[in-house]
Amino acid sequence: MNNWVLICVLLMLMALAYQFGLARSRSVAGQGAARMHSRPGYYGLLVALWCGLPALAVFLLWTLFEPGIIRSVVLNQLPPDLAGLQGNELEVLLRRIEQIASGFGVSDQPAAFELAAAERMRSLQNTGRLAMIASMAVLCVAGLVWTLRRIDPQLRARNQVESVFQALLVISSTIAILTTIGIVLSMVGEALHFFRFVNPAEFFFGTVWNPRFSTTGAADQGQFGLLPLLWGTLMVSIIALLVAVPAGLMTAVYMAEYAPAWLRAVAKPVIEVLAGVPTIVYGFFALITVGPFFSVLGQTVGIDIRATSALTAGVVMGIMIIPFVSSLSDDIITQVPRAMRDGSLGLGATKSETVRKVVLPAALPGIVGAFLLAASRAIGETMIVVLAAGNSPILHANPFEAVSTVTVTIVNQLTGDTDFASPQSLVAFALGLTLFVITLSLNIVALYIVRKYREQYE
Amino acid sequence: MEDTVMRATLVNAEKFVGVANGALKMAARDVRVFYGESEALHGVDLDIYENEVLAFIGPSGCGKSTFLRCLNRMNDTIDGCRVTGRIELDGEDIYDRSLDVVLLRARVGMVFQKPNPFPKSIYENIAYGPRLHGLASGRAELDDIVERSLQRAGLWEEVKDRLEQPGTGLSGGQQQRLCIARAIAVSPEVILMDEPCSALDPIATAKVEQLITELSETYTIVIVTHNMQQAARVSRRTAFFHLGNLVEVDDTTKIFTSPSDGRTEDYITGRFG
């Protein structure tokens, strides 16, 4: 029986159990001895949960541990001359046995001991499967009967059901947190590994980025200076913010203060569509249209502008984060109480004076928060820079030249042939961790500012 | 019981009766206000005289705040709001195309129901209006305006040592007096007050009421209030609004003792509203 079929059967049983619980609680209520503690639906749910959850737990644990147990049993019974196998050879052998057992087969003629082991594995798997289904069935029925018998006016079914759902909510919210922690831990681990090859001081303060290739030998492992990359990231992000902040802020002011309702209803979603364009599309827009345009523009005014440069990447990235800035600022500007505007208008201020002198200052902390969030978005952006920044990790201050950023370098170090024991690949984790720390601190500062602002009016 | 309280407060109002009518300051003729298609105010005719305190009373939704906001065109800021009829300030139509609404609001100031100081320092709150209209030519002159406005609003002694602190940090009553000082700072001729005490405690209310009485020596004041004792205490004349109509307007003493309309009597004796 397929696992999915098993789950479906379990769900159907739970639905059945719900009906049983419902019927039982109604009949108990019908005897009229006392008022039931909960409404019938809660008794039904309680029966369904007791019927389904223990069986489900057995199913999960079984599928988690069964393969390991079967493998060790099979391994123990292999011929003694194979007992010394280690590492890859053992893996290959086990893989072969598993494939013979599943009926998929292997390309060459299997050895006799392999066939025997596969036979043993198959029988173990069959037995295990039957045992699992049997124990699930027993738990299902036991849970059903036991809970049905417990139904009486004193049983606090509602409280029990609700605590189960609460646990479900807690588990869901923990998943995101645990994932974040897991990501950080794995990056820290690999980054530490990297720092065994390269001195942290050389990494954080080095001005030359020249990692070589891992295949050229361990004698010369290259130079891993972070500064050229960090500078590239900074330059592109600053250009992006120089584009996005004025445009986004003015959009927000227009939308929140001046635009008539119908225009706002149309234009706001359209602007937000910009945020939904995949970054790779922005990337080739930069590469094919914006870059050559800047190059030609540079020629006409006599400046040497490369088609792929910090300028190209920054400007396009700026366009990408305009909706981000405008939408956040718009929300914050509309949150400024009407009383503030009335107060200013009532003193004879014009609309634009009111916006400049009262609304924007009142919204300023929130707007700064929005900028910082946009900045951390710009720093972490990858696709546009991969395509349009030119990938040249050299420390220079000319925005018309090609640069490389932290994110681009991570992509470069992790694509193609990689050997995860060499500093050339491991450096990606150190870079990733650096980036993570930067964006995390920007986000924390931004959220702190936004929250502080919120307290002012609520 | 209600009646004795009312009569006791009217003793205060007596002193206004002797005040002769000043010159005509504002005049409204057949003012109607529409929110979209629905008419909220059905043709109001009302005269407002110089240096008087005129109170608007009436049940919620009767149109008294709406009418007040017509007097300095604050209704312009509400989407879908339309005003017809004629309102004059010193004989000039304030809804005339040639009139600058910014200048109108400098002449007809407004104090709102909820104290709404800007999230700026106390000083900046007062200096805001004079700066907009270029009333001060230098820092010294501006300092002077700020000090005089705060003194007139009776707030100077309480805040003179902390002018640089945010206006939002003051108590509710102080905030409302700050807003009154802010309105005075642009030297308006008329001050409109929309339930200025409804968010204040009784002590702060008493201070604001005393302030209104003092200010009426210099300014024309129109006040909307839900509190009939307040109307009786501070105003010389009272206008009663009901369901979008101006029912009657007369000397406060007369409104509270022998109103000529049955609806007014029902309202002030607490039979509805």
Side-chain angles (χ1 to χ4, degrees):
Chain A
M1 210 190 304
N2 186 311
N3 280 351
W4 286 116
V5 178
L6 210 57
I7 298 284
C8 289
V9 170
L10 195 61
L11 287 177
M12 279 189 282
L13 280 176
M14 284 175 76
L16 212 59
Y18 176 79
Q19 296 299 333
F20 279 143
L22 216 58
R24 167 88 184 141
S25 77
R26 288 211 170 107
S27 83
V28 170
Q31 289 157 14
R35 214 178 113 76
M36 299 293 279
H37 171 270
S38 310
R39 302 217 325 275
Y42 284 107
Y43 291 101
L45 273 176
L46 187 67
V47 176
L49 288 173
W50 270 107
C51 171
L53 286 188
L56 198 64
V58 165
F59 173 76
L60 287 178
L61 291 176
W62 206 290
T63 33
L64 209 59
F65 292 114
E66 192 198 34
I69 295 171
I70 291 182
R71 274 172 71 150
S72 68
V73 171
V74 170
L75 276 182
N76 278 337
Q77 296 182 354
L78 279 179
D81 55 319
L82 288 166
L85 279 181
Q86 288 294 328
N88 280 343
E89 288 176 38
L90 190 66
E91 276 305 314
V92 169
L93 177 62
L94 273 169
R95 181 50 55 127
R96 283 173 65 88
I97 294 173
E98 272 167 20
Q99 289 190 342
I100 299 166
S102 69
F104 187 74
V106 288
S107 55
D108 56 351
Q109 194 60 40
F113 76 89
E114 283 176 333
L115 285 175
E119 185 54 40
R120 203 172 302 120
M121 183 178 265
R122 188 157 50 206
S123 79
L124 275 172
Q125 277 171 348
N126 284 339
T127 326
R129 185 119 198 117
L130 284 178
M132 180 179 82
I133 293 171
S135 53
M136 281 173 73
V138 168
L139 276 174
C140 252
V141 174
L144 179 71
V145 173
W146 184 64
T147 322
L148 276 180
R149 290 173 61 99
R150 277 168 64 214
I151 290 179
D152 70 62
Q154 274 83 47
L155 180 66
R156 295 167 162 256
R158 173 165 43 80
N159 307 31
Q160 293 187 16
V161 169
E162 275 171 3
S163 61
V164 170
F165 280 112
Q166 201 180 331
L168 200 69
L169 297 180
V170 170
I171 291 170
S172 311
S173 52
T174 341
I175 288 175
I177 297 168
L178 288 181
T179 313
T180 314
I181 294 174
I183 291 173
V184 173
L185 286 184
S186 77
M187 279 204 299
V188 167
E190 298 292 341
L192 287 178
H193 201 65
F194 167 73
F195 288 127
R196 284 213 304 265
F197 292 97
V198 178
N199 186 344
E202 270 173 40
F203 174 70
F204 286 111
F205 302 108
T207 54
V208 178
W209 177 262
N210 185 11
R212 309 285 163 87
F213 294 105
S214 52
T215 44
T216 52
D220 181 8
Q221 63 177 23
Q223 287 166 286
F224 298 91
L226 173 69
L227 289 182
L229 308 179
L230 214 51
W231 172 244
T233 297
L234 199 68
M235 191 147 72
V236 174
S237 304
I238 287 174
I239 294 172
L241 287 176
L242 284 179
V243 171
V245 166
L249 188 56
M250 285 189 238
T251 310
V253 168
Y254 178 71
M255 284 295 158
E257 298 289 331
Y258 293 95
W262 64 268
L263 182 63
R264 186 179 155 90
V266 174
K268 213 170 141 87
V270 170
I271 293 171
E272 274 159 18
V273 162
L274 271 180
V277 176
T279 57
I280 185 77
V281 175
Y282 280 110
F284 61 71
F285 172 61
L287 189 66
I288 292 171
T289 313
V290 180
F293 169 74
F294 279 140
S295 184
V296 171
L297 195 72
Q299 275 168 18
T300 56
V301 295
I303 307 172
D304 189 21
I305 302 179
R306 299 258 315 247
T308 53
S309 63
L311 183 71
T312 309
V315 167
V316 174
M317 197 196 288
I319 294 170
M320 183 192 81
I321 55 179
I322 284 175
F324 205 63
V325 175
S326 76
S327 161
L328 277 171
S329 310
D330 186 345
D331 290 347
I332 288 156
I333 289 171
T334 22
Q335 267 181 29
V336 173
R338 195 188 162 81
M340 291 293 136
R341 298 184 177 83
D342 280 353
S344 172
L345 293 172
L347 287 168
T350 64
K351 191 144 192 172
S352 76
E353 283 166 341
T354 303
V355 170
R356 268 185 293 124
K357 297 187 176 165
V358 173
V359 177
L360 283 185
L364 191 64
I367 293 173
V368 170
F371 292 167
L372 290 180
L373 286 177
S376 79
R377 180 81 196 269
I379 289 170
E381 170 52 34
T382 311
M383 267 349 278
I384 294 174
V385 239
V386 166
L387 290 177
N391 188 21
S392 151
I394 297 162
L395 205 54
H396 60 70
N398 184 355
F400 306 134
E401 281 290 326
V403 294
S404 185
T405 68
V406 178
T407 50
V408 171
T409 311
I410 293 177
V411 172
N412 287 341
Q413 298 307 113
L414 288 185
T415 44
D417 275 342
T418 51
D419 169 8
F420 276 86
S422 73
Q424 279 79 5
S425 301
L426 288 173
V427 70
F429 294 97
L431 290 171
L433 196 63
T434 314
L435 207 58
F436 181 80
V437 170
I438 293 173
T439 51
L440 184 72
S441 27
L442 271 179
N443 279 345
I444 290 174
V445 172
L447 287 178
Y448 172 76
I449 291 175
V450 170
R451 190 167 302 158
K452 202 171 167 191
Y453 162 76
R454 291 233 164 97
E455 282 168 0
Q456 212 174 328
Y457 290 118
E458 282 170 13
Chain B
M1 177 67 200
E2 180 79 7
D3 261 5
T4 42
V5 172
M6 197 59 73
R7 274 172 219 293
T9 55
L10 281 174
V11 178
N12 256 332
E14 291 281 334
K15 65 175 182 271
F16 294 108
V17 179
V19 177
N21 280 0
L24 187 63
K25 188 69 191 171
M26 296 188 84
R29 291 294 173 265
D30 194 32
V31 173
R32 292 168 192 273
V33 177
F34 301 85
Y35 290 116
E37 288 304 304
S38 67
E39 191 176 292
L41 213 54
H42 315 298
V44 171
D45 296 280
L46 184 67
D47 290 337
I48 300 166
Y49 298 97
E50 237 164 60
N51 293 41
E52 76 167 341
V53 179
L54 172 61
F56 291 173
I57 61 169
S60 298
C62 66
K64 54 192 190 303
S65 285
T66 301
F67 181 68
L68 188 79
R69 291 169 68 93
C70 290
L71 296 176
N72 70 342
R73 293 182 56 177
M74 280 303 280
N75 282 334
D76 291 12
T77 64
I78 296 171
D79 284 339
C81 180
R82 196 158 51 83
V83 180
T84 66
R86 188 179 169 85
I87 300 177
E88 288 177 356
L89 172 65
D90 289 338
E92 274 180 279
D93 184 0
I94 66 169
Y95 279 88
D96 192 84
R97 269 174 191 281
S98 64
L99 184 126
D100 188 352
V101 68
V102 163
L103 296 179
L104 169 71
R105 291 186 191 140
R107 291 174 67 191
V108 184
M110 187 151 194
V111 175
F112 297 85
Q113 182 170 2
K114 242 180 91 185
N116 59 347
F118 303 129
K120 300 170 184 284
S121 71
I122 293 171
Y123 184 95
E124 288 300 320
N125 262 284
I126 308 292
Y128 183 80
R131 280 214 179 104
L132 284 179
H133 300 292
L135 299 181
S137 55
R139 177 80 189 186
E141 211 172 323
L142 195 60
D143 287 348
D144 192 43
I145 292 177
V146 170
E147 181 174 342
R148 268 190 291 125
S149 307
L150 283 169
Q151 267 169 348
R152 294 238 42 192
L155 198 60
W156 176 250
E157 288 304 319
E158 291 161 60
V159 301
K160 64 180 177 192
D161 299 323
R162 46 175 175 150
L163 291 176
E164 296 313 314
Q165 284 176 24
T168 43
L170 298 172
S171 73
Q174 288 173 324
Q175 285 188 14
Q176 195 61 299
R177 280 182 285 147
L178 180 68
C179 292
I180 293 175
R182 188 173 71 182
I184 297 171
V186 292
S187 312
E189 296 155 36
V190 181
I191 302 176
L192 310 176
M193 298 189 176
D194 191 356
E195 298 179 38
C197 300
S198 66
L200 305 184
D201 65 55
I203 293 171
T205 301
K207 281 188 180 158
V208 171
E209 284 178 4
Q210 193 196 343
L211 180 58
I212 291 170
T213 309
E214 288 165 18
L215 292 176
S216 68
E217 290 164 16
T218 324
Y219 308 100
T220 306
I221 295 175
V222 185
I223 176 172
V224 167
T225 178
H226 265 297
N227 180 332
M228 283 180 278
Q229 280 89 343
Q230 181 171 65
R233 282 191 297 263
V234 302
S235 70
R236 185 173 68 81
R237 290 196 310 147
T238 296
F240 172 65
F241 285 78
H242 185 229
L243 298 177
N245 294 302
L246 173 59
V247 175
E248 65 173 302
V249 52
D250 214 327
D251 282 344
T252 300
T253 329
K254 178 140 188 308
I255 291 277
F256 283 110
T257 49
S258 50
S260 46
D261 195 292
R263 285 170 291 176
T264 316
E265 181 154 17
D266 286 349
Y267 181 66
I268 61 172
T269 52
R271 233 165 277 165
F272 69 82

